[in-house]
Amino acid sequence: MNKKHLIALSISCALLPLQYASANSELDSLEARVNELEARLANTEKVASDAQKSASDFQFTGYARSGLSIDQNLHGATDIGATMSPVGALGGHIGRLGVEDDTYVEANLIHNRVADNGTKSYYKLMIADGVESENPWTADDSDLNVRQVFAEFSNLASFDGALKNASIWAGKRFDRDNFDIHFIDSDIVYLAGTGAGIYDIQLSDDWKTSFSVYGHDFNDVNNTSEDIESYTLTMNNHIGKWQVMLNGIVAKDNQESDDDIGENGFHTLIGYHADSFYGLSDGFSKTGIIYGHGLGAEVKNIGSDGKLRKDANAIRLYSYGVTRFADNWRIAPALLAEYSDDMYEKNDRYVWSSLNVRLAQEFNQNFEMVYEGTYQYMDLNNGSVKTDGSFYKATIAPTFKMDTKAGFFDRPELRFAVSYIDWDTSLNDSYTINGTDVGMGNNNETVFALQMETWF
């Protein structure tokens, strides 16, 4: 080995420990940086998760409408609305477009929480108020009320099998499965009160059932000394697109003032919820039949009428749907029909049917013309006096909205409306149903209206 090689070997041996130490230092530094990045990533994910949870903890939703109505004599239009016909109190609603003159508001405060075990809680407070006055301050006319306050648990960690996807609740509420015909401002079924229940017990792949009990205060409607309440036990089944609802109602001591008044009753609904417009086009449609006996003869507001006779019977048909039948046209027909007897007086009989059609013609992204027509026929016998006749309404409503292509159920809307309302002269005179005069007075009325409506 020459002298040069020996010098090079000596230098390499001297530097080897330094190179090793440098390599270890670089590895340690790299590992530290990786650990720091992982910590930062975990912290970022936690911050994002906390932010997402915080954003979904509280919600605010609501509904409101407010309008001004003027008749052809430049007076405030009074006694108008979806229930203005003689059978309005029996559920015979007419089209609501252009005849709502009240200010009504709902405010919903909602809190959601998810436990570490995955169980979810849902709390809802609903406050509502409605006034007829046009004044900006109407404290004396206020109907401010807590309409709902309840809590619900879902995704319970201890539930399994048929209960795995079930939810339980208690409090004062509207039943989750209520549904309505918006265009006539009428629920098909409105089950509400204070109670408790369980939703979505999975009995088979296509069959879910729910059970609940609701209490409803009759507020001494029969002038008794007792605090009379009704209790409704419901079983609501959804089997594919079919709904089968069964209700039993009891109100102990409700006969105290009259032996003919009902103390119990039953109610049933069979309905079909289609995801098309009667199989003809896109949209949806709902069709069904409802029957009630005794206290169940109030077939919409279940368990709410303490004046029904024990022999009362009512059967109601309903059908409605929504579709688009051209690029700029939508249609929403609705039919309600009912036969009832022995409701409030022995041998009374009420027969009525309502057909309402709403059309919308879109002119651009923000403006459309909305048209609505209602025809209602009624044959009435209050047990002593008979009458019959027809009711008619036609409305044209220029309407502004955020996007007309969003359909019938997109809000807000700002409307101007003109309605022509008429009825047969046979309905002019005084006529009493359940102690209330439902005579219409002079016929042939024109109503001009301005209204906003919104929900979110």
Side-chain angles (χ1 to χ4, degrees):
M1 178 179 297
N2 59 31
K3 189 174 182 179
K4 290 182 179 181
H5 290 160
L6 183 60
I7 292 171
L9 181 60
S10 298
I11 293 172
S12 298
C13 290
L15 293 176
L16 185 60
L18 295 175
Q19 292 173 343
Y20 179 75
S22 176
N24 280 343
S25 177
E26 291 178 358
L27 288 173
D28 290 342
S29 176
L30 179 61
E31 183 177 358
R33 280 182 285 175
V34 169
N35 289 337
E36 183 182 359
L37 288 173
E38 288 179 344
R40 289 181 179 179
L41 180 61
N43 185 63
T44 300
E45 290 176 344
K46 183 177 184 303
V47 170
S49 177
D50 290 345
Q52 183 178 7
K53 181 179 179 182
S54 176
S56 63
D57 273 352
F58 288 95
Q59 301 173 28
F60 173 66
T61 66
Y63 169 82
R65 66 174 180 262
S66 183
L68 174 67
S69 299
I70 306 169
D71 67 17
Q72 68 267 33
N73 298 315
L74 296 183
H75 296 149
T78 59
D79 299 324
I80 61 173
T83 61
M84 68 181 292
S85 84
V87 293
L90 299 175
H93 287 211
I94 64 165
R96 69 194 297 179
L97 186 67
V99 294
E100 292 176 318
D101 66 337
D102 62 337
T103 294
Y104 175 76
V105 60
E106 296 174 356
N108 300 295
L109 298 175
I110 297 167
H111 176 257
N112 295 288
R113 180 188 168 196
V114 182
D116 291 340
N117 62 15
T119 301
K120 299 177 180 179
S121 73
Y122 176 90
Y123 166 78
K124 182 173 184 178
L125 169 65
M126 178 184 183
I127 298 174
D129 189 21
V131 295
E132 293 287 339
S133 173
E134 282 77 29
N135 295 338
W137 185 257
T138 54
D140 293 339
D141 298 324
S142 174
D143 291 323
L144 186 66
N145 188 30
V146 176
R147 297 197 72 187
Q148 298 190 77
V149 55
F150 68 91
E152 184 173 325
F153 291 151
S154 62
N155 200 39
L156 283 84
S158 58
F159 278 10
D160 203 359
L163 298 177
K164 184 176 182 179
N165 297 313
S167 59
I168 57 176
W169 66 271
K172 180 181 180 180
R173 73 174 298 173
F174 304 162
D175 191 75
R176 183 199 66 182
D177 293 337
N178 291 346
F179 63 104
D180 69 339
I181 304 177
H182 170 74
F183 310 105
I184 62 173
D185 194 19
S186 176
D187 289 271
I188 296 302
V189 288
Y190 177 73
L191 179 60
T194 304
I198 181 168
Y199 290 127
D200 298 333
I201 302 172
Q202 193 79 49
L203 299 183
S204 69
D205 289 344
D206 293 328
W207 182 5
K208 290 182 180 180
T209 191
S210 303
F211 294 93
S212 59
V213 60
Y214 286 90
H216 196 288
D217 194 336
F218 283 165
N219 294 320
D220 297 328
V221 293
N222 294 335
N223 298 317
T224 69
S225 60
E226 300 291 335
D227 181 17
I228 306 298
E229 291 186 355
S230 73
Y231 302 101
T232 300
L233 176 64
T234 183
M235 177 184 185
N236 204 351
N237 303 276
H238 290 271
I239 308 168
K241 297 176 183 178
W242 288 91
Q243 178 181 0
V244 180
M245 185 181 191
L246 305 171
N247 297 283
I249 305 162
V250 62
K252 185 174 173 55
D253 297 328
N254 196 43
Q255 291 179 339
E256 183 175 318
S257 63
D258 188 339
D259 289 341
D260 287 331
I261 296 296
E263 283 195 336
N264 52 65
F266 64 87
H267 173 285
T268 184
L269 174 148
I270 300 175
Y272 184 76
H273 302 257
D275 53 10
S276 68
F277 183 72
Y278 301 103
L280 302 174
S281 59
D282 293 337
F284 73 86
S285 57
K286 299 177 185 292
T287 302
I289 186 171
I290 311 172
Y291 173 71
H293 176 76
L295 292 181
E298 168 48 79
V299 293
K300 180 178 75 171
N301 299 313
I302 304 172
S304 67
D305 192 343
K307 291 186 176 182
L308 289 165
R309 300 180 73 257
K310 60 186 178 183
D311 297 325
N313 292 286
I315 185 167
R316 181 177 296 182
L317 303 175
Y318 69 88
S319 186
Y320 68 103
V322 170
T323 192
R324 181 180 293 277
F325 65 92
D327 288 343
N328 65 329
W329 281 92
R330 307 187 306 274
I331 188 170
L335 172 68
L336 278 181
E338 179 171 309
Y339 173 92
S340 62
D341 59 33
D342 291 321
M343 295 285 283
Y344 302 106
E345 301 291 341
K346 186 175 178 59
N347 297 322
D348 67 9
R349 182 178 58 85
Y350 304 108
V351 182
W352 56 265
S353 61
S354 295
L355 175 64
N356 188 78
V357 179
R358 185 175 292 193
L359 289 160
Q361 181 184 15
E362 302 159 9
F363 283 86
N364 57 46
Q365 295 181 26
N366 300 116
F367 178 78
E368 65 186 20
M369 291 291 292
V370 182
Y371 314 96
E372 185 172 82
T374 301
Y375 171 73
Q376 184 179 80
Y377 175 75
M378 60 206 82
D379 181 1
L380 312 177
N381 179 355
N382 62 13
S384 57
V385 180
K386 299 179 181 180
T387 190
D388 58 45
S390 296
F391 179 99
Y392 318 86
K393 182 185 83 79
T395 302
I396 299 175
T399 301
F400 289 91
K401 57 197 306 178
M402 296 182 69
D403 184 1
T404 56
K405 291 298 182 183
F408 277 119
F409 300 105
D410 185 63
R411 297 293 184 273
E413 286 188 355
L414 305 178
R415 312 176 180 120
F416 169 74
V418 180
S419 299
Y420 175 74
I421 307 168
D422 200 6
W423 52 88
D424 291 347
T425 55
S426 58
L427 303 175
N428 287 359
D429 298 334
S430 175
Y431 192 82
T432 301
I433 297 178
N434 189 22
T436 300
D437 189 347
V438 297
M440 296 292 293
N442 294 331
N443 56 351
N444 193 345
E445 184 175 2
T446 301
V447 175
F448 304 90
L450 300 167
Q451 188 188 48
M452 81 85 189
E453 184 180 40
T454 187
W455 58 65
F456 54 91

